[in-house]
Amino acid sequence: MSGIDDLPPLREVIASHGLSAKKSLGQNFLLDLNLTARIARAAGNLAGMDVLEVGPGPGGLTRGLLSEGARRVLAIEKDSRCLPALEEIAAAYPGRLEVISGDALEVDPLAHLTPPIAICANLPYNVGTELLVRWLTPASWPPVWTTLTLMFQREVAERIVAAPGSKAYGRLALLAQWRCEARIVLSLPPSAFTPPPKVSSAVVHLRALPEPRFPADAKVLERVVAAAFNQRRKMLRAALKGLAPDIESRLLAAGIEPTERAEQVSLEQFCALARELG
Ligand code: SAM
């Protein structure tokens, strides 16, 4: 018995199912159920919500999400060795946990859930940024999810919440902050994981805003931001010259000095430039 539920402690689960961590799958497990319950609480009030979890592994966070009251958890896991352990959790929470055996980059399980939907995961580092960008760029806004509560390497978490002028500021900050409120809610040392990764981690909480902070066409804004930060050391008039023949006057019309670099430009200014170029 492990405190948050009547299931065995995670060390026992890992030993009895032979779940030695695989580096190729980004497996750094959280075995402290108090910590996984804290991460689940950082997702907000889960009562009445469907939760998508990517990469449940042996199920520490899954148990946190269920014990914190999620209406239903849909978990997608690539490593089939974890399925028997997850089945035990499903049996302890009848009708509330469904597990899909597969690759989250290939299957889109969001269609199987009923809003309101929260996404919460201790993501495999090799696929975390790719999934975040997909969740941040759906065809229409607001998205089908209400909140994202995601574990990243600390450095990636800092890029998501970065302010203009900082080294971490770039495409991820702009994509995230244009249509979400984003903040770091928890920092974790390598020792919180088994096995410990090389770097520290942090949990980022993103809440979808009903509307973008400033109007802009998503595709144009993404193109402008990608071009600006692909050559972040260049002055914007050079970095963006491929976007329009008269880029200097477009930059000026958007209130941006053509000699500025991307990291000095605010979200509001990037949106104004996207409108100029749209
Ligand atoms: N959630 C567990 C925890 O907190 O202890 C495990 C986290 S571990 C960092 C990442 C998990 O994602 C592993 O269980 C791994 O097998 C799984 N995984 C890796 N790549 C995946 C993918 N493309 N789709 C689904 N799961 C994946």
Side-chain angles (χ1 to χ4, degrees):
M1 303 249 284
S2 56
I4 66 166
D5 52 36
D6 293 341
L7 290 156
L10 283 157
R11 274 187 204 288
E12 262 176 44
V13 172
I14 283 182
S16 61
H17 294 284
L19 300 178
S20 53
K22 281 193 188 166
K23 218 173 167 183
S24 61
L25 286 170
Q27 291 183 338
N28 301 101
F29 300 134
L30 290 168
L31 303 187
D32 176 350
L33 288 162
N34 291 315
L35 185 55
T36 60
R38 249 176 95 195
I39 297 170
R41 280 198 293 278
N45 183 1
L46 295 177
M49 292 196 95
D50 275 8
V51 180
L52 170 64
E53 186 191 2
V54 175
L61 181 55
T62 320
R63 286 162 66 172
L65 293 165
L66 289 162
S67 69
E68 287 301 316
R71 172 174 61 192
R72 189 170 157 236
V73 175
L74 178 61
I76 175 160
E77 173 57 61
K78 193 172 173 180
D79 184 354
S80 55
R81 294 179 312 157
C82 298
L83 301 179
L86 295 167
E87 270 162 27
E88 287 171 8
I89 304 173
Y93 290 94
R96 290 175 59 202
L97 172 62
E98 188 188 334
V99 180
I100 299 180
S101 176
D103 184 336
L105 292 173
E106 280 164 22
V107 186
D108 181 9
L110 277 175
H112 299 255
L113 296 173
T114 310
I117 297 170
I119 299 180
C120 187
N122 173 14
L123 288 168
Y125 287 144
N126 47 354
V127 296
T129 313
E130 159 111 36
L131 285 173
L132 172 68
V133 169
R134 286 191 195 179
W135 290 326
L136 289 174
T137 54
S140 61
W141 200 268
V144 63
W145 50 267
T146 308
T147 59
L148 306 175
T149 307
L150 307 171
M151 180 90 69
F152 289 100
Q153 288 167 271
R154 175 90 211 174
E155 180 238 314
V156 176
E158 278 166 7
R159 278 165 44 205
I160 298 166
V161 303
S166 66
K167 246 176 73 188
Y169 183 62
R171 179 168 166 259
L172 269 189
L174 285 151
L175 273 187
Q177 295 172 35
W178 179 40
R179 300 190 285 195
C180 296
E181 220 170 51
R183 61 202 168 91
I184 291 179
V185 288
L186 204 60
S187 293
L188 295 171
S191 59
F193 301 85
T194 304
K198 290 208 170 65
V199 294
S200 295
S201 301
V203 177
V204 182
H205 183 71
L206 297 112
R207 175 171 293 278
L209 298 169
E211 284 176 33
R213 285 181 207 275
F214 307 104
D217 178 85
K219 290 261 171 313
V220 180
L221 181 64
E222 276 176 60
R223 201 148 25 91
V224 171
V225 167
F229 285 97
N230 266 344
Q231 307 192 59
R232 58 189 296 147
R233 280 172 220 272
K234 283 199 179 168
M235 292 179 193
L236 283 169
R237 69 171 172 221
L240 300 181
K241 69 173 188 290
L243 294 185
D246 55 345
I247 193 66
E248 283 220 32
S249 56
R250 306 284 189 115
L251 282 162
L252 287 169
I256 304 169
E257 276 304 318
T259 53
E260 260 176 346
R261 288 173 177 77
E263 66 194 34
Q264 303 301 332
V265 176
S266 68
L267 170 62
E268 184 170 11
Q269 289 172 311
F270 270 120
C271 290
L273 181 59
R275 292 197 299 276
E276 281 296 317
L277 294 168

